[in-house]
Amino acid sequence: MRSRPIAVIALCAGLLCTACTGDAGPARGGSGPAPTGTSQPAAHLGRPSVLARNLAVPWAIAFLPDGDALVTERDSARLLRVTPHGGFSTAGTVPGVVPDGEGGLLGVAVSPSFGRDHLVYVYFSTAADNRIMRFRYSGGGIGPLEAVVIGPLEAQDKSSLGGKILRMTPDGRPAPGNPFGTLVWTYGHRNVEGMAWDGSGRMYATEFGQNRFDEVNRIQKGRNYGWPVVEGAGGGGTYTDPELTWPTEEASPSGAAIAAGSLWVAALRGERLWQVPLDRTGALGTPVAHFAGEYGRLRAVVRAPDGSLWFTTSNQDGRGNPGPDDDLILVIRPR
């Protein structure tokens, strides 16, 4: 059994992925299947440089307007500020976080109007529930937190928040144009891990399957993506089929980013960075695997303001085989 369905939230132009990863993949160096799938030498990417090391399960990354990043640590509940040159400091510790199993301090999003309102949103688990909170961050620390929304429940029940992608205003109300007059944008999701938009506004999301197929979905307003009725393709018109699937041992797809004409997907169980070419119509090409087995479990991948990709390892999360410097933030520049 992989993890329970949860909700993913799009906050206006911002993003907060409320993912709970319960993949059951082999640890690095373990006896599980060797990395497989389409691959090619990654020399054209160059070698990643290590930006930060010895982190406590870095989960999500969001960039501030000045190019620094806020990074959540699942188990410590710390919110770190990391510079493009590798310096980092603790911006604050989020109160009320209970790191238990897959829970802890998870998603983070910076307000689209941060320069004016200084708002940052975090998603985390407490002893009783999962919640989104917002706070003001001035650079000197985090201010008082305010609740925005709490969930989750069932994937096919449109009245619940679980197994959904939610779209809301910064104060937690349904965004104008939502298809059901609620927070719900799409439903029938099992475990959405990452979301990314291309230059034409097309939205893609990575999703854990149960035991057979992991997915990349093209997310469109009001659609039903099938869980728990369908895993992978086979919706037959009632449900929206994924654009791409992998066997679970090759993926457990987590973070997603679009850069240099491709969708980039960090894989946990698959222990690789997937590159999926995108054409001008938004169609997905043949996936290419990079760094298979080299860094262990990969969780977040984001495009930095300078065009580079930041990605994180997740070998300290209880499912990996950590090295002496784990966990890491690594940087590459696609060409």
Side-chain angles (χ1 to χ4, degrees):
M1 176 72 80
R2 301 175 99 196
S3 64
R4 66 188 184 277
I6 44 70
V8 173
I9 293 89
L11 293 160
C12 296
L15 166 64
L16 188 62
C17 181
T18 65
C20 173
T21 55
D23 64 297
R28 180 168 36 157
S31 58
T36 58
T38 304
S39 62
Q40 67 181 32
H44 70 283
L45 284 181
R47 299 303 304 168
S49 59
V50 176
L51 193 65
R53 49 174 49 92
N54 299 125
L55 303 181
V57 194
W59 198 275
I61 302 172
F63 285 93
L64 295 165
D66 66 0
D68 287 1
L70 296 177
V71 180
T72 57
E73 285 188 319
R74 185 192 72 181
D75 292 354
S76 72
R78 292 193 305 171
L79 185 68
L80 305 177
R81 182 165 183 161
V82 182
T83 75
H85 307 293
F88 71 91
S89 58
T90 300
T93 300
V94 177
V97 174
V98 177
D100 180 39
E102 304 294 342
L105 180 58
L106 305 175
V108 60
V110 173
S111 167
S113 53
F114 181 86
R116 183 177 69 252
D117 58 32
H118 298 286
L119 289 175
V120 171
Y121 297 79
V122 291
Y123 169 82
F124 61 93
S125 56
T126 72
D129 55 36
N130 301 319
R131 62 183 63 185
I132 296 170
M133 307 289 281
R134 67 181 180 185
F135 59 86
R136 297 188 187 279
Y137 176 63
S138 64
I142 60 177
L145 278 73
E146 304 170 354
V148 175
V149 67
I150 298 175
L153 285 174
E154 298 297 328
Q156 286 293 317
D157 180 0
K158 291 195 291 292
S159 67
S160 84
L161 300 182
K164 311 296 188 299
I165 290 177
L166 309 179
R167 182 172 172 264
M168 66 180 68
T169 63
D171 59 3
R173 293 177 295 180
N178 278 8
F180 310 112
T182 67
L183 298 175
V184 174
W185 183 249
T186 57
Y187 64 107
H189 298 287
R190 185 180 181 277
N191 194 336
V192 175
E193 289 286 315
M195 297 190 291
W197 287 262
D198 69 11
S200 298
R202 289 178 288 249
M203 179 181 175
Y204 301 86
T206 60
E207 183 162 348
F208 278 10
Q210 174 84 356
N211 296 307
R212 298 174 59 224
F213 296 112
D214 294 326
E215 304 174 357
V216 173
N217 287 296
R218 167 100 177 266
I219 302 301
Q220 295 176 280
K221 176 180 177 178
R223 293 207 176 179
N224 183 348
Y225 288 82
W227 179 259
V229 182
V230 178
E231 179 180 2
T238 302
Y239 308 106
T240 300
D241 283 344
E243 300 288 308
L244 172 67
T245 63
W246 290 282
T248 57
E249 67 269 15
E250 294 183 6
S252 293
S254 191
I258 291 176
S262 292
L263 172 68
W264 302 83
V265 178
L268 289 161
R269 184 177 179 184
E271 298 188 350
R272 67 200 74 182
L273 182 65
W274 283 108
Q275 177 184 2
V276 186
L278 290 169
D279 70 16
R280 292 183 179 179
T281 71
L284 304 183
T286 302
V288 176
H290 300 283
F291 315 126
E294 293 187 42
Y295 298 101
R297 295 162 59 79
L298 302 183
R299 183 170 301 278
V301 58
V302 294
R303 183 186 182 277
D306 66 0
S308 63
L309 286 174
W310 292 24
F311 63 104
T312 67
T313 68
S314 194
N315 296 314
Q316 295 276 7
D317 65 2
R319 297 179 180 272
N321 182 19
D325 293 334
D326 280 321
D327 276 311
L328 308 173
I329 299 176
L330 299 119
V331 180
I332 56 172
R333 184 175 293 276
R335 298 192 296 272

